[in-house]
Amino acid sequence: NLIAVSLALLVGFTQAACPNQCSGHGTCGVDEVCTCYPGWGTGGNAGGDCSERFCPHELAWVDTPTRDGGRHSYAECANKGTCDRKTGECECFSGYEGKACGRQSCPNDCSGHGTCEYMKDLAFGIVYNEYYDGSSNALSGLGAGGKTYDHEYTWDQDRARACVCDAGWMGLSCTERMCPFGNDVMDVIPGFDESSLLGMPGYGNEVAQVQTVTLYDADLDNTNFDTKTFAIQFTSKLNETYVTQPIMWDTTDATLAGYIESALKKLPNKVIDDVDVTVDSSVDANGVIIDVTFTGAAVQGKQHKLEILQDKCEHGCTPRISGLTNIRTFSTVTLSTVEISTVGSHNSFECGRRGTCDRNNGLCKCFTGFTGETCSILTALI
């Protein structure tokens, strides 16, 4: 009888032990409850037999609000994936990636024609002076590239991503080709006078776009620029970026204008087929005023603003320039800038607004009566 009682007590003790001996991933405590080691539990909850893993947590892309209205609490796989309890790894839904599905992926990985960028790295505008437009001293200055913001402005700034397409490509996944831009040959210009001599030669009173570059020396002495070298960057309507050869500064205005004009016309693919440049450095207090008039057929209508590369660029850098090291970089009154001083009479539309763009090959399909690369040539009166 004593042996039977002992066996019964032993069986009762064995049955009352922690489930599955906590699977080797926890300790058995009071009331036979497992205290699991970090990362272990059962069914996504603490306790049980500690046989299953937790997956990494991240701020939830979407969730129900808290009592006080808060959102984006931490959630397993950021609520955009399922947890593999055997491996502890998230299996993210389509469009999400990362160990906790905490960042978006870009559609089709930008199709090989772009880069996948975080929202905080996306820029306003294509060129520098699109944002720094010279409308105030605070919005003046020189540089290259669009405007990015360094302040934290939203919870998903370093999680949400989008494609930034290469030149000549567009679309959410960069699968579409861009077509060339040109003037709408049928556009009616108010007040057009064919016989006027006030505009471009052969165009009556039509005028070309003029961009004015104003450069200030730190000491308001324009001769300080002498013999220094700089370059100019031009971005086409297809977002192709071209940089001129180094331009040597000359204190003779006509000579400097010739250097600049020649450098712009030498850009590849005749991206700027014709341009006129004038320079005025006669008044130190006014800075050096460079007027660039886009007279070529390839640059009719509104163009992206030129970007002045004035920083030193030496070994391993191209183009190799000394830079306008004495240029004014801080002032409460005036700073160097690039502005559109004359809005051109012509316009700039994809396929000249007289055709459709074949997104597969980047070629214009002109409407009846129009031809040319940008459908800007009239073949018949309609």
Side-chain angles (χ1 to χ4, degrees), residues 262-279:
S262 176
L264 290 173
K265 288 181 180 179
K266 286 181 180 178
L267 290 175
N269 305 329
K270 291 188 178 295
V271 64
I272 297 180
D273 54 341
D274 204 1
V275 66
D276 290 330
V277 177
T278 62
V279 175

Side-chain angles (χ1 to χ4, degrees), residues 25-42:
H25 301 302
T27 58
C28 186
V30 179
D31 296 331
E32 292 78 39
V33 174
C34 289
T35 300
C36 301
Y37 298 148
W40 293 91
T42 305

Side-chain angles (χ1 to χ4, degrees), residues 22-334:
C22 303
S23 306
H25 301 302
T27 58
C28 186
V30 179
D31 296 331
E32 292 78 39
V33 174
C34 289
T35 300
C36 301
Y37 298 148
W40 293 91
T42 305
N45 298 301
D49 66 353
C50 307
S51 62
E52 297 179 331
R53 289 182 178 271
F54 285 105
C55 280
H57 285 57
E58 251 294 0
L59 295 176
W61 289 98
V62 60
D63 57 2
T64 55
T66 62
R67 183 181 181 87
D68 59 3
R71 297 182 186 275
H72 303 298
S73 301
Y74 277 90
E76 200 170 36
C77 301
N79 283 347
K80 287 298 180 181
T82 57
C83 180
D84 185 329
R85 298 294 175 196
K86 292 183 179 180
T87 63
E89 296 179 350
C90 291
E91 297 177 353
C92 302
F93 301 150
S94 177
Y96 299 88
E97 61 184 34
K99 69 176 184 179
C101 309
R103 65 174 181 267
Q104 290 179 337
S105 56
C106 283
N108 199 32
D109 199 25
C110 302
S111 308
H113 300 300
T115 57
C116 191
E117 304 292 343
Y118 290 105
M119 184 163 59
K120 66 182 178 65
D121 297 321
L122 299 179
F124 168 84
I126 303 297
V127 297
Y128 188 83
N129 290 106
E130 194 167 344
Y131 177 82
Y132 294 99
D133 58 4
S135 58
S136 67
N137 190 56
L139 293 176
S140 298
L142 301 175
K147 164 68 174 177
T148 57
Y149 299 85
D150 56 7
H151 59 274
E152 296 185 5
Y153 55 92
T154 182
W155 71 276
D156 58 349
Q157 64 169 353
D158 55 356
R159 306 180 68 200
R161 298 200 292 172
C163 289
V164 175
C165 300
D166 297 335
W169 295 87
M170 59 177 290
L172 295 177
S173 59
C174 303
T175 56
E176 302 175 67
R177 295 293 298 266
M178 299 174 70
C179 282
F181 284 67
N183 179 54
D184 180 359
V185 69
M186 296 297 291
D187 187 48
V188 177
I189 299 174
F192 174 65
D193 182 358
E194 185 177 6
S195 62
S196 175
L197 300 177
L198 298 178
M200 296 180 291
Y203 285 90
N205 61 343
E206 295 180 5
V207 296
Q209 184 192 73
V210 180
Q211 296 187 18
T212 298
V213 180
T214 307
L215 304 176
Y216 290 97
D217 173 70
D219 301 319
L220 291 182
D221 182 355
N222 293 335
T223 61
N224 287 337
F225 291 125
D226 191 26
T227 71
K228 291 182 168 58
T229 55
F230 67 104
I232 300 177
Q233 181 167 287
F234 174 73
T235 302
S236 74
K237 297 301 286 288
L238 296 182
N239 299 329
E240 301 161 321
T241 300
Y242 300 86
V243 179
T244 67
Q245 63 190 28
I247 301 171
M248 173 74 76
W249 194 281
D250 195 288
T251 54
T252 302
D253 290 350
T255 302
L256 177 59
Y259 289 165
I260 296 172
E261 185 174 313
S262 176
L264 290 173
K265 288 181 180 179
K266 286 181 180 178
L267 290 175
N269 305 329
K270 291 188 178 295
V271 64
I272 297 180
D273 54 341
D274 204 1
V275 66
D276 290 330
V277 177
T278 62
V279 175
D280 182 2
S281 62
S282 59
V283 181
D284 289 332
N286 293 340
V288 179
I289 302 171
I290 304 170
D291 285 329
V292 181
T293 305
F294 292 86
T295 56
V299 285
Q300 289 183 334
K302 184 178 181 180
Q303 301 297 314
H304 292 305
K305 291 181 179 179
L306 298 170
E307 295 174 301
I308 307 301
L309 307 183
Q310 87 284 0
D311 291 331
K312 182 183 295 186
C313 182
E314 295 184 308
H315 301 289
C317 184
T318 184
R320 189 170 178 179
I321 56 177
S322 65
L324 304 179
T325 53
N326 55 307
I327 203 163
R328 178 186 287 179
T329 58
F330 175 79
S331 171
T332 58
V333 182
T334 52

